[in-house]
Amino acid sequence: MVTVTGGHDTRVSLAALIAVRPGCRPRLIFRTHQTRRGDTRKGFTEQDYARFLDAAHQQLNGPVVLVWDNLNTHTSRAMRELIAARAWPTVFQLPAYAPELNPVEPVWSHLKRSLVNLVKHDIGQLTALVKTRLRRMQYRPGLLDGFLAKPGLDLGNFHN
C-alpha cells in the first residue's frame, strides 16, 4: 500500500540544453525550478531562462547558437528582448511542432524511463533523484551523442 496526499502544492520544472563545441565532447547543462501553488507561472519564466542561458554561456566560454522549440516562453516578446540585450546568442526556432528535431526530447524520454516504478515521498526526494539521473547522463558522452544523432543533425565538424 502506498499512501499519497492530494495536496500537490509544488511542481518541478526542468530546462536542459546539449552543448556541442568543436573538438570537445557534448555537454548536458540543466536547471531545475520548483514552483508552488499560487505562483503566477508554473514553469520557467523568461528571466529564469535568461539566467540559465547566461550560466551556460559562462560555462561554455563562447558564443551560443541556440536552437529552440516553440514553447511560448521561448518565443515571447520578453524573451526576444532578453536575447537582444545579449551580444553572444544566435537563436533559431524549430518548426511549430517538431519534437523529433529537438535533441533534448530524448533526454526527457530517457529520464522518464529511468524514473518509472519509483516512489518518492515528497517533491524534494523527486528533485534530488531527477538531478542525480541528469548528472549521470552528463558523464555519458556516448549517450549524449545518441541524443544528438536522433534528430539527424550533422555534427561531423564538432568531433575529433
Side-chain angles (χ1 to χ4, degrees):
M1 177 189 293
V2 176
T3 305
V4 296
T5 64
H8 302 291
D9 64 347
T10 58
R11 168 188 284 223
V12 176
S13 297
L14 304 170
L17 60 85
I18 300 177
V20 181
R21 186 177 206 170
C24 299
R25 66 179 181 88
R27 293 177 64 180
L28 175 66
I29 301 171
F30 69 90
R31 292 292 182 273
T32 61
H33 179 77
Q34 283 192 13
T35 55
R36 300 187 66 76
R37 185 177 290 164
D39 286 351
T40 56
R41 295 286 290 269
K42 291 182 181 176
F44 283 79
T45 65
E46 287 86 352
Q47 288 289 11
D48 294 327
Y49 279 115
R51 282 191 293 274
F52 174 48
L53 293 174
D54 288 341
H57 174 247
Q58 193 169 28
Q59 275 186 314
L60 299 169
N61 195 27
V64 174
V65 176
L66 187 62
V67 180
W68 253 352
D69 60 18
N70 286 287
L71 181 68
N72 61 353
T73 311
H74 297 169
T75 60
S76 72
R77 190 178 101 208
M79 192 74 241
R80 287 192 305 272
E81 290 170 358
L82 287 165
I83 293 293
R86 290 157 173 79
W88 48 265
T90 302
V91 177
F92 293 96
Q93 294 294 144
L94 289 172
Y97 182 75
E100 71 280 0
L101 298 177
N102 186 345
V104 176
E105 288 297 328
V107 171
W108 304 138
S109 177
H110 188 80
L111 176 64
K112 288 175 188 176
R113 280 194 310 273
S114 78
L115 298 173
V116 172
N117 295 325
L118 297 175
V119 177
K120 293 294 150 203
H121 297 286
D122 59 38
I123 200 75
Q125 287 182 342
L126 177 61
T127 302
L129 181 59
V130 163
K131 286 179 177 181
T132 298
R133 298 294 164 94
L134 288 169
R135 279 189 204 106
R136 285 184 189 168
M137 285 186 226
Q138 287 178 314
Y139 295 101
R140 296 182 59 195
L143 181 65
L144 298 178
D145 282 334
F147 295 155
L148 290 164
K150 187 152 178 75
L153 300 173
D154 179 10
L155 300 174
N157 295 331
F158 289 98
H159 292 87
N160 290 334

